[in-house]
């Protein structure tokens, strides 16, 4: 049985921040013990919503004290990867469903010195990534339909998380497993028990009355 992490890493999604005071909100959460900043980029084509682009992310470069975990919900993201490369960028995650040439897209990310992430939507079977696993640094399992924050957690993400945890052990790989959508301190134990490493949380963190307590609850500190 593969080992389970006692304390998760957390990546708050700035999609749920107050955009009128984005810098202050980002500084605030960075000061409360987070591991990454999750940057949700939506193109209005791959998903039915438009969020923000690289310029907004780059406006945070001198404010963010943790690395960017960029989630591109964009058709053919290979066209935009270069725009998201900064000294703060650790992961660029693309959707399997959005790439004609996933292997080429992952190579393009690695060639820029950035770690690769691949995400799958709730309706996508985990096996679609089998042949790509050696080239993936993080797998992002969606636990809502991508496009909007504040949706309800879907528990069909749980067996997918465990699938990737078991595959990692079987193949001797070391990618991280991340989950995104509808998670807060009340249900984080579900994804932790399934074997997740990194928890994305938007509304739960940014709308919390006590953000530090919420972050600690999600991380199980
Ligand atoms: C959904 C985004 C998520 C979302 C998470 O398309 O990828 O990152 O903002 O937000 P919450 O935690 O509010 O579900
Ligand atoms: Zn996301």
């Amino acid at each position: 049985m593969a080992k389970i992490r006692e304390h998760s890493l957390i990546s708050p999604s700035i999609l749920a921040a107050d955009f009128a005071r984005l810098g202050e909100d980002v500084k605030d959460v960075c000061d409360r013990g987070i591991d990454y900043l999750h940057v949700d980029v939506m193109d209005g084509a791959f998903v039915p919503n438009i969020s923000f682009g690289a310029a907004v992310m780059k406006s945070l470069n001198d404010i963010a004290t943790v690395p960017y975990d960029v989630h591109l919900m964009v058709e053919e993201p290979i066209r935009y990867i270069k725009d998201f490369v900064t000294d703060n960028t650790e992961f660029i995650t693309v959707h399997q469903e959005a790439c004609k040439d996933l292997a080429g897209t992952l190579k393009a990310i690695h060639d820029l010195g950035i770690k690769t992430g691949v995400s799958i939507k709730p309706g996508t079977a985990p096996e679609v990534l089998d042949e790509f696993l050696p080239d993936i640094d993080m797998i992002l399992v969606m636990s809502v339909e991508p496009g909007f924050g504040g949706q309800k957690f879907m528990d069909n993400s749980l067996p997918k998380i465990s699938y990737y945890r078991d595959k990692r052990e079987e193949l001797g790989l070391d990618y991280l497993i991340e989950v995104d959508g509808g998670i807060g301190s009340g249900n984080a134990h579900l994804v932790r028990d399934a074997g997740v490493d990194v928890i994305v949380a938007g509304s739960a963190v940014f709308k919390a009355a006590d953000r530090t307590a919420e972050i600690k609850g999600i991380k199980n500190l």
Side-chain angles (χ1 to χ4, degrees):
M1 181 71 175
K3 265 208 247 87
I4 290 183
R5 205 182 260 272
E6 192 185 343
H7 307 295
S8 315
L9 302 172
I10 188 169
S11 187
S13 168
I14 61 173
L15 188 64
D18 177 350
F19 289 167
R21 43 190 303 277
L22 184 58
E24 287 99 308
D25 256 3
V26 164
K27 184 177 183 326
D28 181 78
V29 292
C30 283
D31 289 345
R32 293 176 192 266
I34 63 169
D35 301 287
Y36 300 102
L37 264 187
H38 188 78
V39 179
D40 278 315
V41 179
M42 304 180 183
D43 68 350
F46 180 67
V47 291
N49 193 14
I50 298 175
S51 58
F52 51 77
V56 169
M57 184 189 87
K58 287 174 174 169
S59 75
L60 303 169
N61 284 355
D62 294 334
I63 298 169
T65 55
V66 298
Y68 296 144
D69 155 32
V70 180
H71 179 191
L72 296 181
M73 287 162 275
V74 171
E75 283 294 348
E76 290 302 338
I78 194 163
R79 299 175 294 158
Y80 295 105
I81 285 162
K82 211 151 60 60
D83 297 354
F84 289 89
V85 176
T86 71
D87 289 348
N88 285 6
T89 308
E90 181 155 339
F91 292 96
I92 295 182
T93 295
V94 298
H95 269 266
Q96 180 271 341
E97 305 89 350
C99 299
K100 277 202 208 89
D101 175 12
L102 183 57
T105 307
L106 298 180
K107 183 172 182 315
I109 297 171
H110 273 155
D111 284 350
L112 289 162
I114 305 292
K115 293 181 184 166
T116 57
V118 181
S119 184
I120 57 166
K121 298 205 285 184
T124 301
E127 295 83 4
V128 300
L129 298 186
D130 282 359
E131 64 181 292
F132 304 99
L133 292 177
D135 298 314
I136 300 178
D137 299 307
M138 182 156 75
I139 293 171
L140 172 51
V141 175
M142 290 306 300
S143 46
V144 297
E145 284 298 340
F148 299 91
Q151 302 182 75
K152 192 174 171 304
F153 175 77
M154 295 168 73
D155 62 10
N156 80 339
S157 56
L158 298 173
K160 296 188 196 181
I161 294 169
S162 300
Y163 174 85
Y164 290 122
R165 175 200 62 192
D166 294 345
K167 269 278 176 215
R168 178 172 61 193
E169 172 136 308
E170 180 191 320
L171 301 173
L173 296 172
D174 61 0
Y175 53 77
L176 290 173
I177 305 167
E178 183 177 53
V179 63
D180 184 2
I183 302 166
S185 54
N187 60 359
H189 64 281
L190 298 175
V191 292
R192 195 171 7 260
D193 290 350
V196 88
D197 301 296
V198 186
I199 297 175
V200 176
S203 325
V205 168
F206 282 97
K207 317 269 189 248
D210 182 342
R211 288 177 174 172
T212 302
E214 183 62 20
I215 288 165
K216 282 192 173 156
I218 292 170
K219 288 174 67 85
N220 194 31
L221 289 180

